[in-house]
Amino acid sequence: MSDDKLASEEARRSVQHQSVKAQVEGDINAEIAERASQAPPAGESRRIENVADQFRAKAVDEVVDTEREVERSRGLARISQVVDYIFYVIYALLFMRFLLALLAARSSAGFVQFIVAVTNPFYAPFRGIVAAPTIQGGHTLMLPLVIALVVYILVHLAINGLLRMFAHRKTQI
């Protein structure tokens, strides 16, 4: 979901960047054509050139700044994708552990041992927060795992929110 937002934001910025580049090119071409068609008064020639140089420098600086912004946004979008992937793997592993405990999977099975070993670093801070009720047959509702999933979702959203804040430029008028 946030990948779609970042991708659409990056596409919008790319279109905006291309528009600015085209506008600058058009403005410069129009300025050249205007200069070629008109001869300024003798005393005004130098002043007009100074003003035109200032506008040109400002336009070029804006295009350079926009290009930097687009590159920075692309980098942050890539970081966001990596963060998303890592969190989705963590979610999947924790959810698998939750299902295995709920279904009373044998703890001696190799796959169960693997899932428990891989998820222990992510589950350890939440172990014992609340009781995990067990019913007949060994089925356990791992409430600490549910809390862990909720906390990891909130951390994931916070990281993506920070990345989005850094990706957006504040426009000055």
Side-chain angles (χ1 to χ4, degrees):
M1 175 169 51
S2 62
D3 280 343
D4 294 339
K5 287 181 183 176
L6 285 173
S8 67
E9 181 65 21
E10 183 177 338
R12 184 190 66 77
R13 286 178 186 258
S14 180
V15 167
Q16 183 180 12
H17 175 69
Q18 293 301 327
S19 172
V20 168
K21 282 171 88 174
Q23 182 180 359
V24 167
E25 184 178 323
D27 290 349
I28 290 173
N29 287 338
E31 178 186 336
I32 291 170
E34 183 180 329
R35 278 189 184 184
S37 67
Q38 295 179 358
E44 298 272 326
S45 177
R46 185 68 189 142
R47 194 169 132 216
I48 291 172
E49 285 180 26
N50 286 339
V51 170
D53 288 342
Q54 289 174 354
F55 279 126
R56 189 178 305 109
K58 187 175 180 179
V60 169
D61 288 344
E62 187 173 326
V63 168
V64 168
D65 288 344
T66 303
E67 183 69 28
R68 286 186 192 136
E69 173 88 20
V70 168
E71 288 303 317
R72 184 175 54 127
S73 293
R74 284 182 184 147
L76 289 173
R78 181 61 61 197
I79 291 170
S80 177
Q81 289 173 339
V82 169
V83 167
D84 288 346
Y85 180 77
I86 290 169
F87 273 99
Y88 293 149
V89 168
I90 292 171
Y91 299 154
L93 290 170
L94 288 174
F95 186 71
M96 182 62 67
R97 182 171 178 165
F98 177 79
L99 283 178
L100 291 172
L102 189 62
L103 298 173
R106 290 189 190 133
S107 60
S108 61
F111 181 72
V112 174
Q113 290 175 351
F114 169 75
I115 294 294
V116 168
V118 170
T119 58
N120 267 341
F122 304 109
Y123 175 62
F126 304 97
R127 187 183 315 247
I129 286 182
V130 294
T134 304
I135 60 171
Q136 277 183 315
H139 302 283
T140 305
L141 180 60
M142 299 283 291
L143 289 179
L145 268 174
V146 173
I147 293 171
L149 281 168
V150 169
V151 168
Y152 285 121
I153 288 170
L154 293 174
V155 169
H156 183 195
L157 291 173
I159 290 171
N160 274 341
L162 282 173
L163 288 173
R164 237 185 330 278
M165 280 178 23
F166 287 122
H168 293 288
R169 172 175 85 163
K170 302 290 186 223
T171 304
Q172 295 178 355
I173 299 177

